[in-house]
Amino acid sequence: MRCRSLVYGLLLLLLTACSETKYVSEGDYLLDRIKLKSDTKARYLNLTELRSSVRQHGNSRWFSAAKIPLATYSLSGRDTTRWVNRMLRSIGEAPVLYDSLSTQSSAANLEMQMRNKGYLRATVDVDNTIKGKRLRTTYLLHPGEPYFLRNIQYDIQDSAIAVLLANDDVMSSGLRSGMLFTADNLNAERTRITRYLADRGYYRFNKDFINYRADSVEGSNIVDLVLVLQPYRDARVSNVPHQVYHIGKLRYLSGNVGDSIIPLRRQVLRNNTFLEENALYAARDLQNTYNHFGRLDVVRYTNISFHEHPEEPVLDCDIQLSTNKPSTLSFQPEGTNTAGDLGAAATLTYQNRNIFHGSENLTIELRGAYESIKGLEGYSTSNYVEYSVGSRLTFPRFIAPLLARSFRRRINATSEVSAQYDMQNRPEFYRRVFSVAWKYKWHDQNHHDRYQVDVLDLNYISMPWISETFRNEYLENTTSRNSILRYNYENLFVMKLGFGYSYNNGDYAIKANVETAGNLLNWASHALHFHQNAEGQYTFLDLAYAQYARGTFDYTRNLRLDYNNQLVFHVGLGIAYPYGNSRILPFEKRYFSGGANSVRGWSVRSLGPGKFVGHDGRIDFINQTGDMKLDLNVEYRAHLFWKFNGALFVDAGNIWTLREYEEQPGGQFRFSTFLDQLAASYGLGLRLNFDYFIIRFDMGMKAVNPAYETTDDHFPLLHPRLNRDFAFHFAVGLPF
């Protein structure tokens, strides 16, 4: 069977290869591939970046291998009146025919790019290899030696600017001797000086007033440079000093048609305006004003215009704000599927973006859900019903005392208070959860760092009713008693504090969160001698409270191979430890493995802990949780066509418990065995990228299963069985 499949695959590959030149006419050539080669190891050149200077590339390849879009196009017939031929051509990709003019232009672009990178004597040769109707183009790069700066001098032809730059020692942080002589470095210096002057009142200054004189030393690779800053000139005057401008009057105008009133308090307008009357004009203050008004939910569009006084260097400023409708009401129905039990849910959401006329955002959500549960015996009903009401109020600023005004204005911050009540009625039990939280989120607008502090997060969990059948079968039966299960069906109070940090610059991302619960209550319990229950736990409001510490860390590295392909690495680590008043973590804080964002050869909550093997599908969702989690992922992502992207992935990981629990044999973490207990899977995915959101389909297969009972179960990679090893995942967004 395997030999037959291999033969079929080879025949299909041969058929695809033969059809690639179907629509290549006599005298034309299919541009099969382009390649860049350098005759020296140029340490300052990146060949991947230089590929973007090539004007003509070959047909796209899925995962850098098969030209499936071209093959799809080639499957079409020549009769374009037939719809099947038109469809194949529309979803496929026409053959890219070699164009000598594009090749010459590409060679010139490559030479220019290398010279801009400091290789002033760079040249490019082109070598074409023809095989049948296919042509491969190789660009042979001869970069030579890079050039470096030696002496840098400044010719500042405006005395006031010369004094300003000299007094602030600006030049010492720019171009330096020994720096690579590149266009990027020269442009960066022009931009830096322009930004510096624009922040000190020079409203009409731009980088076109700065140019360079360069002199290379014969027989060497060094350059002497003179930066020339020219005086002001325009259509009316020339060779006059640059003018410093001040801000005159500030006005706030409504940009809403038929409404001249801005629905924001005067103090809110002033707090988000960095331009000040009678102060020097500063481009930085202008950008900060745009940024701060732009983050207000009620503001749709901001336009800032300046009006110059005819007789003096003063700028009157008009800030025009277009605002959104403050209130919206939305209804969202959805289908649900919990472990095969189908149901329906609906959410009604009211949102007011300007409740106190300071762009405060009030959201109120009402949600209801219903599911019909199958396979239950011995219960009076088989329906699941859930109702919840939640509200969230967000302020677009810090609501906290003792913070400096300069810090408040520099940081983009939100303060959020929320409350939610959730009521769940299942055939086995009734569950009520009431939670309130107060948190801060902020980031510096000039950096990629983001922070979150959960100042207070309270959760009151109540189990007002548990059916006798469930209680007798799982909670009280001495032969099947499960302490983890029992703990999660008791009344509980959780008071936690938390801190989160994230960083993302597009190439790599870091996310870390830490939280603790119960420490303040534990201190009060000992100091004030709180009541202890029969289990020896201290109680607050007659409820045992949870005490634990929990931390998670995620690191993602994105390597862009070219404009269509990227390789992404991900490491995720989480660890939580119950102590003091708790022996077991609350269910919501325990880790699970498997699913669309973890080891994708397993369905969600079906892997681990360790080598634990579940046998009771009704309660394994409790037993297959742990105190520690490790995820290792590698994913190769490629653009396919239109909105479709593809992915090949390999995942590894598992969860473990830090303590030995009788209900989870083989689940405790040990350094001597955890490598043997790493699960592994592989698979492929299809993603629809609609820019605003991504719909993801991932298909995973088990490769190594640490929870095995037979040898075949241990290594599914060698003994695959589709009904045992396959998992399909549907999700929104990328996994990491």
Side-chain angles (χ1 to χ4, degrees), residues 173-394:
S173 59
L175 298 173
R176 298 180 302 277
S177 179
M179 181 179 286
L180 197 65
F181 179 69
T182 69
D184 289 342
N185 288 337
L186 300 185
N187 285 331
E189 178 70 349
R190 296 171 70 204
T191 301
R192 189 181 66 86
I193 293 176
T194 300
R195 185 183 299 117
Y196 181 86
L197 295 176
D199 287 338
R200 284 155 182 81
Y202 288 90
Y203 170 68
R204 293 194 172 277
F205 191 91
N206 61 70
K207 64 181 183 180
D208 290 337
F209 290 110
I210 300 175
N211 54 46
Y212 295 97
R213 296 197 302 267
D215 183 20
S216 59
V217 179
E218 186 176 355
S220 69
N221 61 333
I222 59 175
V223 175
D224 292 331
L225 189 71
V226 178
L227 183 148
V228 181
L229 192 152
Q230 299 173 337
Y232 183 77
R233 63 184 184 279
D234 62 13
R236 298 173 300 168
V237 297
S238 61
N239 297 327
V240 298
H242 292 272
Q243 186 66 60
V244 174
Y245 286 80
H246 286 76
I247 301 296
K249 293 182 179 180
L250 282 172
R251 294 193 306 169
Y252 299 96
L253 306 174
S254 172
N256 297 333
V257 178
D259 188 359
S260 61
I261 299 176
I262 300 176
L264 289 168
R265 300 193 306 272
R266 186 74 180 179
Q267 188 61 40
V268 173
L269 296 174
R270 294 178 62 85
N271 287 340
N272 288 280
T273 303
F274 287 72
L275 299 163
E276 297 183 4
E277 293 183 354
N278 302 320
L280 279 176
Y281 164 82
R284 177 182 57 246
D285 293 339
L286 173 63
Q287 189 59 52
N288 283 339
T289 302
Y290 271 115
N291 291 343
H292 277 66
F293 277 114
R295 70 187 183 89
L296 300 181
D297 284 344
V298 73
V299 176
R300 184 175 72 251
Y301 180 75
T302 305
N303 180 50
I304 302 176
S305 58
F306 295 99
H307 308 283
E308 187 175 348
H309 287 204
E311 303 296 331
E312 55 183 344
V314 175
L315 301 170
D316 289 336
C317 177
D318 289 343
I319 301 176
Q320 187 179 58
L321 301 175
S322 301
T323 56
N324 295 305
K325 292 182 179 180
S327 300
T328 58
L329 186 66
S330 62
F331 177 77
Q332 181 178 355
E334 60 182 286
T336 63
N337 184 347
T338 304
D341 297 326
L342 301 179
T347 303
L348 182 66
T349 304
Y350 168 79
Q351 186 178 44
N352 190 315
R353 299 185 180 90
N354 199 29
I355 186 70
F356 303 127
H357 298 288
S359 196
E360 300 87 358
N361 194 323
L362 173 67
T363 302
I364 299 175
E365 283 189 353
L366 301 175
R367 186 177 188 274
Y370 171 86
E371 284 182 0
S372 179
I373 302 177
K374 304 184 297 292
L376 287 180
E377 297 180 1
Y379 296 93
S380 60
T381 180
S382 60
N383 299 327
Y384 165 74
V385 179
E386 179 181 5
Y387 301 101
S388 67
V389 56
S391 64
R392 183 175 65 253
L393 179 60
T394 303

Side-chain angles (χ1 to χ4, degrees), residues 418-703:
S418 61
Q420 182 172 355
Y421 179 74
D422 184 74
M423 183 181 74
Q424 304 171 12
N425 289 349
R426 290 184 60 91
E428 308 99 317
F429 56 82
Y430 291 172
R431 181 182 175 94
R432 309 288 183 260
V433 180
F434 177 71
S435 59
V436 295
W438 177 265
K439 61 184 64 175
Y440 296 110
K441 299 177 183 179
W442 74 94
H443 68 276
D444 191 317
Q445 58 195 6
N446 297 320
H447 299 89
H448 301 287
D449 309 86
R450 293 181 179 271
Y451 306 87
Q452 175 175 320
V453 172
D454 298 331
V455 178
L456 190 63
D457 193 328
L458 305 178
N459 291 269
Y460 175 91
I461 303 169
S462 173
M463 305 292 297
W465 176 80
I466 298 177
S467 72
E468 289 299 320
T469 302
F470 187 80
R471 186 184 300 276
N472 293 333
E473 188 171 352
Y474 292 108
L475 304 184
E476 303 297 341
N477 192 319
T478 57
T479 60
S480 62
R481 182 173 294 176
N482 187 311
S483 60
I484 297 176
L485 192 67
R486 289 189 63 190
Y487 182 77
N488 287 281
Y489 289 94
E490 296 175 351
N491 298 338
L492 186 66
F493 183 76
V494 181
M495 184 176 76
K496 78 177 184 71
L497 309 174
F499 173 77
Y501 168 80
S502 64
Y503 177 92
N504 191 338
N505 66 359
D507 292 327
Y508 66 90
I510 296 172
K511 185 184 295 183
N513 290 278
V514 294
E515 65 179 71
T516 62
N519 293 329
L520 184 61
L521 287 175
N522 193 255
W523 174 83
S525 299
H526 289 84
L528 302 177
H529 304 289
F530 283 7
H531 176 263
Q532 289 181 278
N533 61 19
E535 304 289 334
Q537 296 173 295
Y538 286 100
T539 62
F540 177 72
L541 300 177
D542 291 330
L543 291 177
Y545 57 84
Q547 189 174 8
Y548 63 86
R550 187 176 191 267
T552 59
F553 174 82
D554 283 271
Y555 173 81
T556 303
R557 182 72 170 95
N558 190 338
L559 298 177
R560 300 185 183 276
L561 305 178
D562 56 39
Y563 53 91
N564 270 340
N565 301 275
Q566 53 187 311
L567 192 62
V568 184
F569 300 89
H570 170 256
V571 177
L573 176 65
I575 186 168
Y577 186 70
Y579 60 92
N581 212 49
S582 297
R583 183 176 172 271
I584 300 170
L585 284 170
F587 178 73
E588 291 79 5
K589 299 301 176 182
R590 293 174 69 82
Y591 296 104
F592 62 88
S593 192
N597 301 320
S598 184
V599 186
R600 284 166 280 186
W602 280 258
S603 58
V604 65
R605 299 183 187 274
S606 65
L607 172 61
K611 60 179 182 179
F612 169 79
V613 180
H615 294 287
D616 191 339
R618 292 172 294 179
I619 63 170
D620 279 342
F621 74 96
I622 288 286
N623 287 330
Q624 297 201 267
T625 58
D627 310 321
M628 179 179 176
K629 179 178 182 179
L630 176 64
D631 278 331
L632 304 169
N633 313 88
V634 179
E635 186 167 280
Y636 182 87
R637 297 172 183 169
H639 175 70
L640 302 181
F641 61 92
W642 189 55
K643 301 290 185 180
F644 288 92
N645 296 330
L648 301 174
F649 58 81
V650 176
D651 303 323
N654 207 333
I655 55 172
W656 294 268
T657 62
L658 296 182
R659 289 180 171 148
E660 183 72 48
Y661 295 109
E662 183 180 347
E663 302 82 3
Q664 299 170 303
Q668 187 178 22
F669 176 83
R670 300 182 188 277
F671 279 104
S672 59
T673 60
F674 90 95
L675 287 177
D676 296 330
Q677 295 175 1
L678 283 177
S681 67
Y682 61 95
L684 56 89
L686 180 68
R687 289 85 192 273
L688 281 81
N689 188 345
F690 294 103
D691 297 330
Y692 293 104
F693 66 96
I694 295 174
I695 297 176
R696 175 163 56 97
F697 305 92
D698 283 341
M699 294 164 284
M701 287 286 291
K702 297 180 179 65

